[in-house]
Amino acid sequence: MKFLPLRELDSINRALVFDTPDCRVVGGVDIYTTKAAGADKKLYKSICETISTRYEADLRLSESLSPPNRGSDSASKYQSAAVYQTLHSPFGPLDQISARRTFAYLIATLNASHPDYDFSTTLRPSDFRRERYIRPVMNNFNTTLFNLGVNISKELPKMWETIDREMDLLNCNIYAYSPDDVSNDPYGDEGLIWSTNLFFFNKHKKRVCYLYLRGLSTLNHSPLERSLAGWGRNSRVGSDGWDESEGEDFNDDFIESKSIWGDDNYDDGFFEGMEV
């Protein structure tokens, strides 16, 4: 993965790092190309081997749990469950190269963003979920910022427009990662309270956009540390919604729109009703 140092994102990244009375919020948006370096090729090979090993282990476990006195149909049922649990993923069937490669891209993106932490040893495909539509994703992210006291229209008026210009969001597959165990997050030891991690993968542009927010306990960050960080909500980039999108690698029948800016049927109460 190669990080793209896009200056258009600098003001967004500054605005996504700030303090609230309850926590310190660390956010940002990073964009990478999916051009594989030597380390990425090794990572992809390792992930493929890990998936195969887990599948074989699950299959052996299902066979050991299958009652010996039952017929072959019952044994087949247990084996089918193991196959489903291993192969079924938000990226598609993991016996397909495209699904395994997409999973590897996200792991490589996380590793590139956190070079001192290896996500390939902790995360499974089941730790991610596929987001079907762009509009709810945007509204949820905007609602999170609003609840944290961010005036989106003033402080982040062009965030989504900027990201869309780089990623073509309507042609992205969207994935979310929310660790159930904070020990699987590199910020777990720094008082992580909550986190939001979104990935926008555009197969044709060969890019992955990593958008994230983390709430860290103020007990782990002194006022001196915060002032030395030099970050604040001082810029003017980012915000608002648009329409649903469909992924490239799936055959789901999603609702489509030719424009990301209009033709929505959401009323004013839609944004207020979104859950964070």
Side-chain angles (χ1 to χ4, degrees), residues 232-274:
R233 296 179 298 176
N234 299 320
S235 66
R236 297 287 182 270
V237 190
S239 157
D240 234 58
W242 51 66
D243 216 317
E244 293 100 326
S245 85
E246 157 180 301
E248 287 288 335
D249 297 331
F250 295 81
N251 293 322
D252 306 299
D253 294 324
F254 301 147
I255 299 174
E256 299 181 3
S257 171
K258 295 181 180 179
S259 170
I260 63 174
W261 297 116
D263 302 323
D264 289 325
N265 295 320
Y266 297 96
D267 56 25
D268 293 336
F270 175 79
F271 182 84
E272 298 177 359
M274 296 304 297

Side-chain angles (χ1 to χ4, degrees), residues 8 32 40 44 51 57 60 82 98 103 162 185 204 208 239 248:
E8 296 84 354
Y32 295 85
D40 297 318
Y44 174 64
I51 290 173
R60 287 193 297 269
S98 60
F103 176 54
T162 302
D185 191 289
H204 299 293
V208 175
S239 157
E248 287 288 335

Side-chain angles (χ1 to χ4, degrees), residues 29-269:
V29 52
D30 300 329
I31 295 180
Y32 295 85
T33 66
T34 59
K35 183 178 181 180
D40 297 318
K41 294 177 181 179
K42 292 180 180 178
L43 175 65
Y44 174 64
K45 181 179 180 181
S46 174
I47 287 175
C48 290
E49 292 175 349
T50 299
I51 290 173
S52 297
T53 300
R54 286 173 179 170
Y55 165 70
E56 294 171 358
D58 289 345
L59 193 58
R60 287 193 297 269
L61 178 61
S62 69
E63 291 173 346
S64 67
L65 295 177
S66 179
N69 296 328
R70 294 189 177 181
S72 59
D73 290 343
S74 296
S76 177
K77 179 180 179 181
Y78 279 88
Q79 293 175 12
S80 297
V83 172
Y84 177 83
Q85 292 173 2
T86 302
L87 296 184
H88 186 73
S89 81
F91 313 107
L94 291 174
D95 59 347
Q96 297 181 5
I97 293 177
S98 60
R100 297 197 301 270
R101 183 174 289 124
T102 301
F103 176 54
Y105 287 155
L106 302 196
I107 296 297
T109 297
L110 286 168
N111 284 351
S113 296
H114 311 280
D116 297 327
Y117 195 88
D118 185 6
F119 285 87
S120 66
T121 62
T122 59
L123 295 187
R124 293 171 174 256
S126 57
D127 291 317
F128 295 85
R129 69 176 183 272
R130 171 79 182 277
E131 299 290 351
R132 302 294 180 178
Y133 304 108
I134 183 65
R135 181 61 180 267
V137 169
M138 295 172 62
N139 276 304
N140 280 337
F141 196 86
N142 290 350
T143 301
T144 299
L145 290 173
F146 177 81
N147 289 339
L148 291 168
V150 178
N151 187 329
I152 299 174
S153 62
K154 291 184 178 180
E155 298 177 59
L156 290 162
K158 295 184 181 297
M159 181 179 72
W160 291 111
E161 181 181 347
T162 302
I163 295 174
D164 179 59
R165 188 162 54 246
E166 298 295 335
M167 293 299 302
D168 187 11
L169 289 173
L170 284 181
N171 289 306
C172 288
N173 289 341
I174 308 170
Y175 304 96
Y177 158 59
S178 298
D180 294 328
D181 185 354
V182 295
S183 65
N184 290 337
D185 191 289
Y187 286 86
D189 294 334
E190 298 186 23
L192 179 70
I193 302 173
W194 54 265
S195 67
T196 297
N197 303 276
L198 297 170
F199 302 86
F200 304 88
F201 170 47
N202 190 311
K203 178 180 179 181
H204 299 293
K205 292 178 74 72
K206 298 182 179 180
R207 288 185 175 188
V208 175
C209 173
Y210 176 36
L211 176 64
Y212 59 92
L213 283 176
R214 299 184 187 91
L216 305 176
S217 171
T218 55
L219 298 178
N220 292 69
H221 298 273
S222 67
L224 177 61
E225 287 176 318
R226 293 194 291 270
S227 63
L228 289 176
W231 293 103
R233 296 179 298 176
N234 299 320
S235 66
R236 297 287 182 270
V237 190
S239 157
D240 234 58
W242 51 66
D243 216 317
E244 293 100 326
S245 85
E246 157 180 301
E248 287 288 335
D249 297 331
F250 295 81
N251 293 322
D252 306 299
D253 294 324
F254 301 147
I255 299 174
E256 299 181 3
S257 171
K258 295 181 180 179
S259 170
I260 63 174
W261 297 116
D263 302 323
D264 289 325
N265 295 320
Y266 297 96
D267 56 25
D268 293 336

